[in-house]
Amino acid sequence: MQASTPVLPEAARRFAAWCAVLLLLAGVVYVGIRLVAEFRTAVVPVLLALLGTALLGPLHRRLVKAGVHRSVAAGLTCVAVVAVVGGAVYIVVAALIDTGDEIVASLKEAARGVSAHFGAAGTSLDDLASNARELLGKFGGTAASGVISGVSVVGESIAMAVLALLLVFFFLRDSDKAAGTLRSLAPRGAADTLEAMARRALRAVEGFMRGTTLIALIDALCITIGLLVLDVPGAAGLGALVFVGAYIPYLGAFISGALAVLVALADRGFGIALWALGVVLAVQVLEGHVLQPMIQSRTVQMHPAVVMVTITAGASVAGILGMLLAVPLTAAAFGIIQELRTRYGEEEPSPGPSSQEA
């Protein structure tokens, strides 16, 4: 009996199978995103706590090695975080309050200069303000509009921050039990692989958080010193914006650097603005060619295009918060993929017996 001939060729059937897999994956991702958005008040503190645990884990481990009880060490670490973050927020807010009027006045002066020189439609102050609001609504999304909307979101944010801090305490205190809990939940035969994936993801996030914090501090100090030397108004506030913006790779540095140059242009003239641009570019070159390879050499390296697409996707899903969380979560995903490739990658075919002439 003659076998029936397939209706579609082999290449078309493989293509159809891959399309079905991609559609199924897209559906799962979409449902996951909708569930996360629906339960964001519970999911966001967990994600922030995981990032905080990754950043503070080394300090907690050092305290435990020094003989401090795990609970006491976790409590001291959380107290240190509250002190450091509270102090940093106070410094940033105080700097912005002291220099905010100067920065805004300089930006308005720069806008007037652009409008006077070019005089085209869309360069008036009203058009610039409306365009800025539209850009904020596009990239700020839920977070930015929610903060403006009312006190309820502020209360919700405070509640999520407190919950995240409590979760950091418990994650640090019980970190020694995490591997055992994960192994107990793993399917039979997959415990080692699941634990290895979790450890690789945690190392990637730890490296990203520590490296980004150190790089942000160096960038902010260098740019602040440069702006002080150039006598640009609001140097402290602009440096604070550089530090905060560094947690959004590439885009944050670009926006904060552009603001510094605009302020220098409006207040100190074209020559000083060029020097300010030189300072910003020098710091970016230092970050890209020295700090990033040296500080984050042990973490997952991602192409800038991947980072930009990730930030844009995070902004479309969760606004500013999504932009902050997108890159470390992607770093964790890349770490998991690397672990899977290491474990299940195709082994190079062993060389067959050589046909040697007798």
Side-chain angles (χ1 to χ4, degrees):
M1 187 174 179
Q2 192 175 11
S4 60
T5 304
V7 178
L8 295 176
E10 179 68 18
R13 281 183 289 156
R14 289 189 176 184
F15 178 74
W18 275 109
C19 288
V21 171
L22 291 177
L23 287 175
L24 179 61
L25 180 62
V28 171
V29 171
Y30 176 77
V31 172
I33 291 175
R34 296 296 299 177
L35 289 175
V36 169
E38 189 70 23
F39 299 101
R40 63 184 182 277
T41 53
V43 175
V44 170
V46 173
L47 294 177
L48 293 176
L50 289 175
L51 295 183
T53 304
L55 181 62
L56 302 171
L59 175 60
H60 179 261
R61 289 193 290 268
R62 289 184 180 181
L63 291 175
V64 172
K65 288 182 179 179
V68 182
H69 191 270
R70 297 191 66 87
S71 298
V72 177
L76 291 176
T77 304
C78 291
V79 170
V81 163
V82 172
V84 172
V85 174
V89 169
Y90 174 78
I91 292 173
V92 171
V93 172
L96 291 177
I97 290 176
D98 292 340
T99 60
D101 293 339
E102 299 179 53
I103 294 175
V104 172
S106 299
L107 290 177
K108 288 183 178 179
E109 185 65 28
R112 292 192 188 94
V114 171
S115 178
H117 281 84
F118 295 98
T123 57
S124 65
L125 292 179
D126 293 336
D127 291 335
L128 288 174
S130 62
N131 291 334
R133 284 194 297 268
E134 181 181 354
L135 187 65
L136 180 63
K138 183 177 180 181
F139 290 101
T142 307
S145 61
V147 170
I148 299 173
S149 63
V151 179
S152 61
V153 175
V154 175
E156 179 180 320
S157 301
I158 294 174
M160 288 193 296
V162 172
L163 178 57
L165 182 62
L166 292 175
L167 289 176
V168 168
F169 171 79
F170 290 118
F171 288 169
L172 290 173
R173 189 194 67 177
D174 300 329
S175 58
D176 58 330
K177 305 175 184 177
T181 304
L182 192 63
R183 294 180 70 89
S184 66
L185 298 175
R188 180 172 299 180
D192 293 338
T193 302
L194 191 59
E195 181 182 353
M197 291 166 53
R199 291 186 183 277
R200 180 67 74 94
L202 182 61
R203 285 200 300 269
V205 177
E206 281 184 353
F208 173 82
M209 292 300 295
R210 292 200 305 268
T212 301
T213 302
L214 183 56
I215 290 172
L217 182 60
I218 296 175
D219 287 355
L221 288 176
C222 292
I223 289 182
T224 302
I225 293 173
L227 295 179
L228 287 174
V229 171
L230 296 174
D231 197 21
V232 175
L238 293 171
L241 289 176
V242 170
F243 179 81
V244 175
Y247 284 94
I248 304 176
Y250 302 109
L251 183 61
F254 172 78
I255 294 176
S256 57
L259 285 176
V261 174
L262 284 175
V263 171
L265 175 64
D267 194 85
R268 301 283 292 151
F270 185 74
I272 298 298
L274 286 180
W275 279 104
L277 178 61
V279 169
V280 172
L281 292 178
V283 171
Q284 296 304 314
V285 170
L286 175 66
E287 175 185 338
H289 292 82
V290 179
L291 298 180
Q292 288 280 358
M294 182 176 63
I295 295 176
Q296 293 188 335
S297 59
R298 297 182 180 180
T299 63
V300 177
Q301 299 294 324
M302 291 183 290
H303 193 275
V306 177
V307 175
M308 293 301 298
V309 171
T310 301
I311 293 174
T312 304
S316 63
V317 172
I320 295 176
L321 187 61
M323 297 169 70
L324 293 173
L325 294 174
V327 179
L329 293 180
T330 305
F334 270 65
I336 292 173
I337 293 173
Q338 283 188 354
E339 182 63 29
L340 291 176
R341 289 182 61 186
T342 302
R343 286 179 168 263
Y344 299 109
E346 295 183 358
E347 297 181 357
E348 295 186 3
S350 58
S354 57
S355 57
Q356 296 180 351
E357 296 182 358

